[in-house]
Amino acid sequence: MRVLYLDCGMGVAGDMLTAALLALLDKGEQDQFLRDINAALGGKAVVTAEPAVKCGVQGLHVRVVINGEEEGHEHRHHDGEHHHHHTGIKEIRELIESLPLSDAVREDALQVFNSIARAESEVHGMDMEHIHFHEVGSIDAVADVLGVCLLMSKLAPELVIASPVNVGGGTVKCAHGVLPVPAPATELLLRGIPWYEGEIKSELCTPTGAALLRWFVNSWQTAPVLRVETCGYGMGTKDFGQLNAVRALLGEMEDEENLYVLACNLDDMTGEELGFAQERLFEAGALDVWTMPIGMKKGRPGVLLSVLCRPEQTHALTECLFRHTTTLGVREDYVQRYTLRRETRTADTPWGPVRVKTASGYGVSREKPEYEDLARIARENGLSLREVKEKIK
């Protein structure tokens, strides 16, 4: 499974996330991205990327230049009051919808801005349509959001995982005065997301950064077991004495599960009774049920009945074993299961569609047509299973 992991131990801002994702691409792809986003922005802003070194580590710094000036994070804070030179969510939607981008990228960008506007409207007690953004800062944020959305579309991870978010600490100055970190809108955007205050007294997570994480991240945890292919550092503008960057890791993560095996030895049940017990175990949620012949005490032949299940199923399936078998005790073992990623596609045949199960991972890939579909076609057309298989595309 292709996984993107975001290390937010120094928070996250839109430009830092853009830079971290951009650093995952090779130089040619980076140059093409810059051409694409600047063409989409049509001169409203100019996005550039340059190498940056912090704490001896090289990464990328992304700059958004508007009217010849690079915008800082102070422009990313939003203003609930309507002033001249401010832009509403309606204008931002119209701008995004007019850009020459794919429908998917535009939809991602719109969803991110809608979430920011909803958070601001709740903080200020105003209707979402009346929320306005600083005119220059809004273009800066549009560039950041579009950059991340374009890069996510290009990288196409199957799963995005992020660490708990360091929001910083202390206070931050915005249009309404001095506010605690995280700022109220940021805190709303982080609802349900694990975050913590660090030792650094500065705002490390901006509303734009929080909104991007909320939209794209599927799971929150510390770094998973990952076969890393490439790593990118998106540098922040400030220096804190420790690496101020978002780190992005792209690689492969194999599917694995923590499971349990329930087992019991049986020597006084008929084959029919065992078959019925297996049916009931599957109906109760067992992932797999199997038997093995064993030799028991006094030379009696017996059967080892085993059940594979998830942790939350152990109690119910243990009850099922006691109810439908003659065992006096059930053993429980913890196991890890590694699985290939499984999907189903539809293949065409002269007799209609056939489902094909695919499995991939660990450097292997295999396919198998669905037996029931093959059997149905073979029966209806007087063919063998092999003849039907040979026609699958």
Side-chain angles (χ1 to χ4, degrees):
M1 178 183 295
R2 189 170 175 81
V3 174
L4 173 66
Y5 178 71
L6 302 174
D7 181 352
C8 302
M10 284 297 287
V12 64
D15 61 333
M16 294 169 69
L17 185 54
T18 302
L21 298 178
L22 184 58
L24 297 174
L25 304 178
D26 62 35
K27 186 61 169 63
E29 292 174 315
Q30 291 178 12
D31 292 341
Q32 184 60 53
F33 163 80
L34 292 172
R35 287 192 292 270
D36 291 344
I37 192 168
N38 285 315
L41 290 169
K44 296 179 179 65
V46 177
V47 180
T48 62
E50 56 193 23
V53 177
K54 289 184 181 291
C55 297
V57 176
Q58 180 165 301
L60 283 183
H61 173 62
V62 166
R63 304 175 68 226
V64 179
V65 178
I66 302 169
N67 299 325
E69 181 181 352
E70 181 179 4
E71 293 306 311
H73 291 172
E74 65 272 13
H75 294 294
R76 300 170 195 265
H77 296 289
H78 309 122
D79 190 348
E81 300 175 5
H82 180 76
H83 298 296
H84 192 57
H85 302 310
H86 284 62
T87 305
I89 186 64
K90 180 175 181 291
E91 289 80 11
I92 289 177
R93 288 193 195 113
E94 290 173 350
L95 170 62
I96 293 173
E97 289 171 349
S98 70
L99 297 178
L101 298 167
S102 70
D103 291 343
V105 171
R106 281 200 300 268
E107 179 62 20
D108 284 341
L110 289 169
Q111 291 292 344
V112 171
F113 267 104
N114 283 339
S115 68
I116 296 172
R118 280 193 296 270
E120 293 286 346
S121 70
E122 185 170 339
V123 167
H124 296 295
M126 299 175 61
D127 184 82
M128 187 168 127
E129 299 302 318
H130 295 154
I131 291 296
H132 289 76
F133 303 80
H134 185 283
E135 183 181 47
V136 177
S138 67
I139 299 300
D140 184 31
V142 167
D144 288 343
V145 170
L146 287 179
V148 172
C149 293
L150 275 167
L151 288 164
M152 283 291 191
S153 177
K154 183 171 184 60
L155 293 168
E158 297 173 74
L159 180 67
V160 180
I161 301 173
S163 71
V165 183
N166 182 357
V167 299
T171 59
V172 61
K173 186 177 180 180
C174 68
H176 294 274
V178 177
L179 300 174
V181 170
T186 304
E187 186 276 323
L188 276 172
L189 288 161
L190 291 172
R191 291 279 174 89
I193 294 172
W195 60 267
Y196 62 96
E197 287 191 12
E199 296 180 358
I200 294 173
K201 301 304 179 185
S202 181
E203 182 189 39
L204 299 184
C205 181
T206 67
T208 302
L212 287 163
L213 291 179
R214 172 167 287 282
W215 180 246
F216 283 109
V217 175
N218 307 113
S219 176
W220 304 89
Q221 63 182 76
T222 54
V225 177
L226 193 65
R227 288 188 288 134
V228 177
E229 297 171 359
T230 183
C231 174
Y233 291 87
M235 302 302 192
T237 56
K238 297 180 180 179
D239 292 309
F240 296 113
Q242 66 187 79
L243 183 60
N244 182 23
V246 170
R247 181 171 62 167
L249 303 170
L250 187 66
E252 288 288 324
M253 184 175 75
E254 310 300 348
D255 291 337
E256 62 180 74
E257 293 181 277
N258 298 325
L259 303 174
Y260 284 88
V261 173
L262 307 176
C264 58
N265 297 348
L266 304 165
D267 65 357
D268 55 355
M269 292 182 65
T270 66
E272 291 85 354
E273 289 170 336
L274 280 169
F276 182 77
Q278 289 178 279
E279 290 177 12
R280 302 302 294 170
L281 288 163
F282 276 119
E283 290 171 3
L287 297 174
D288 200 2
V289 182
W290 66 95
T291 61
M292 292 178 61
I294 57 174
M296 298 178 64
K297 62 183 178 181
K298 299 181 180 179
R300 293 196 303 268
V303 173
L304 171 63
L305 176 62
S306 300
V307 181
L308 184 68
C309 64
R310 295 189 171 90
E312 64 271 18
Q313 299 171 309
T314 55
H315 183 73
L317 288 167
T318 298
E319 286 187 342
C320 190
L321 280 168
F322 281 123
R323 180 175 180 81
H324 294 287
T325 74
T326 58
T327 188
L328 300 178
V330 174
R331 300 181 299 279
E332 176 184 278
D333 288 313
Y334 168 81
V335 297
Q336 275 191 309
R337 179 173 73 163
Y338 299 87
T339 60
L340 298 179
R341 184 171 65 255
R342 287 166 282 188
E343 297 175 345
T344 301
R345 69 177 180 88
T346 301
D348 293 324
T349 74
W351 309 280
V354 168
R355 290 169 294 170
V356 178
K357 295 178 287 188
T358 66
S360 59
Y362 294 91
V364 303
S365 179
R366 55 181 68 126
E367 292 187 341
K368 183 179 181 181
E370 180 62 52
Y371 167 77
E372 295 298 338
D373 291 357
L374 295 179
R376 174 182 51 80
I377 291 174
R379 292 189 193 103
E380 292 174 354
N381 295 275
L383 301 169
S384 68
L385 290 177
R386 182 173 296 277
E387 288 174 311
V388 179
K389 283 183 181 179
E390 290 173 351
K391 295 293 184 179
I392 294 177
K393 298 177 181 179

